[in-house]
Amino acid sequence: MGGTSKGEQRIGLLNGFAAYGMWGLFPLFFPLLEPAGAGEVLAHRMMWSFVVVAAVLIVVRRWKWAGELLRQPRRLGLVAVAAAVISINWGVYIWAVNSGHVVEASLGYFINPLVTIAMGVLLLKERLRPVQWAAVGVGVAAVLVLTIGYGRPPWISLILAFSFATYGLMKKKVNLGGVESLAAETAIQFLPALGYLLWLTAHGDSTFTTEGPGHTALLASTGVVTALPLVCFGAAAIRVPLSTLGLLQYLAPVFQFLCGVLYFHEAMPPERWAGFALVWLALILLTADSLRTARRASRLRTALREATPATETAPTETPTAPRVEA
């Protein structure tokens, strides 16, 4: 069978919309967890996420990777770094949403692709095409405009963008599946999170059992809320082209931005609109360049496939010995 069927692609698209839609609507979920503070919500998210993904892996009996990971200290170290930076990302995001900075948080995920490209140049010595350089330059100009607009650098956006870009880099190096990776990261987070929650309880500062069963259930649901979009993303990633996923990724910050402006009524003075407009221009340049490059690569692969049969069907003078695969 060649390629993916239209039915499979449709399922992939639905899962992609579901994943990025849920991530985009996170600003509506975290305020429901108040009066729990950002630290307590973060600890519950870490703890319950591990419980959920561990249960999933137990059901599907997929634990072989864990033993292999434990025997590779370098990969384990990279997982620990990934766990640390995603903890920072989650904590800052929860605090931002519950402190009236939803729009600034959405900006972090708008500029994340630009930060990822910049990190590729600085850390991996990747070479950029001219349009990519232009997009990064426009992104830098956007940050400068927003710094003037906010009267300070957009620290929330920058921390979210750099932490998530670093997280992506670590995950690329570790090369684990989505659920397995989350299981490894939350396994590292579990004991510190549990310790912090026990400390809050001992000091009478925990809200887990003091705000009613609904609040308790909501805090416990953070595990499902974290794992479910990841499962949908995994289902999408194996069914739709990467270029399509690249376009879908903008749904999350778009939804977050709309939540901030339309639902939470956060201020958007002209200079802030100007900064966001520059960010969107940079993303348009980046996306157009990526799509053009993907089409060029696709045409090249098609040309190579069409040229291959003529070579393969040429008659041979003598039979060759069968090749043994390793």
Side-chain angles (χ1 to χ4, degrees):
M1 285 180 63
T4 306
S5 70
K6 288 184 178 180
E8 285 289 293
Q9 288 187 4
R10 193 177 300 112
I11 292 172
L13 280 173
L14 290 174
N15 276 281
F17 277 111
Y20 287 109
M22 284 185 276
W23 282 323
L25 295 177
F26 270 8
L28 303 180
F29 173 73
F30 288 115
L32 301 176
L33 306 180
E34 294 177 335
E40 184 179 3
V41 173
L42 174 63
H44 275 288
R45 188 178 186 186
M46 292 173 173
M47 186 179 73
W48 293 110
S49 294
F50 175 71
V51 171
V52 170
V53 293
V56 170
L57 290 172
I58 288 171
V59 170
V60 299
R61 297 181 180 179
R62 205 160 71 204
W63 285 104
K64 182 181 177 181
W65 61 272
E68 295 173 352
L69 181 63
L70 290 172
R71 291 191 294 271
Q72 298 174 307
R74 182 178 177 276
R75 287 182 79 202
L76 195 58
L78 292 173
V79 171
V81 174
V85 293
I86 200 60
S87 299
I88 294 170
N89 183 275
W90 286 357
V92 170
Y93 184 82
I94 293 166
W95 177 85
V97 167
N98 287 358
S99 301
H101 298 284
V102 174
V103 169
E104 191 175 349
S106 74
L107 175 65
Y109 294 102
F110 276 125
I111 66 175
N112 176 67
L114 302 171
V115 172
T116 299
I117 287 175
M119 290 180 68
V121 173
L122 296 174
L123 301 179
L124 304 179
K125 308 302 180 185
E126 295 179 353
R127 300 182 66 179
L128 299 188
R129 296 182 291 275
V131 177
Q132 290 176 311
W133 276 117
V136 171
V138 174
V140 171
V143 171
L144 293 175
V145 170
L146 288 164
T147 297
I148 296 171
Y150 279 108
R152 58 170 175 80
W155 292 117
I156 294 171
S157 308
L158 294 173
I159 292 171
L160 290 175
F162 276 92
S163 60
F164 200 72
T166 304
Y167 177 65
L169 180 63
M170 294 301 104
K171 286 176 76 73
K172 182 177 180 180
K173 289 180 175 294
V174 172
N175 194 27
L176 272 178
V179 176
E180 292 88 347
S181 179
L182 184 62
E185 294 151 15
T186 53
I188 292 171
Q189 296 170 335
F190 182 80
L191 286 179
L194 179 61
Y196 178 68
L197 291 173
L198 291 174
W199 182 85
L200 285 179
T201 302
H203 287 77
D205 295 325
S206 171
T207 67
F208 187 58
T209 58
T210 61
E211 300 295 324
H215 181 72
T216 300
L218 281 170
L219 285 173
S221 73
T222 52
V224 174
V225 167
T226 298
L228 186 57
L230 185 66
V231 172
C232 292
F233 175 79
I238 62 175
R239 290 178 172 89
V240 298
L242 283 177
S243 57
T244 304
L245 277 182
L247 292 174
L248 288 176
Q249 72 174 320
Y250 298 127
L251 286 176
V254 165
F255 286 167
Q256 292 168 14
F257 177 81
L258 292 175
C259 284
V261 174
L262 301 179
Y263 184 80
F264 294 104
H265 304 291
E266 292 186 14
M268 282 293 292
E271 60 273 17
R272 206 167 295 175
W273 278 111
F276 269 86
L278 286 172
V279 170
W280 295 331
L281 173 60
L283 294 177
I284 290 170
L285 291 173
L286 196 61
T287 302
D289 180 69
S290 297
L291 291 175
R292 185 169 59 250
T293 303
R295 283 196 297 269
R296 189 180 301 133
S298 178
R299 286 196 296 268
L300 180 60
R301 286 194 299 269
T302 301
L304 288 173
R305 279 198 302 269
E306 291 173 350
T308 301
T311 305
E312 288 181 346
T313 56
T316 55
E317 294 295 327
T318 56
T320 55
R323 186 162 58 99
V324 178
E325 297 285 352

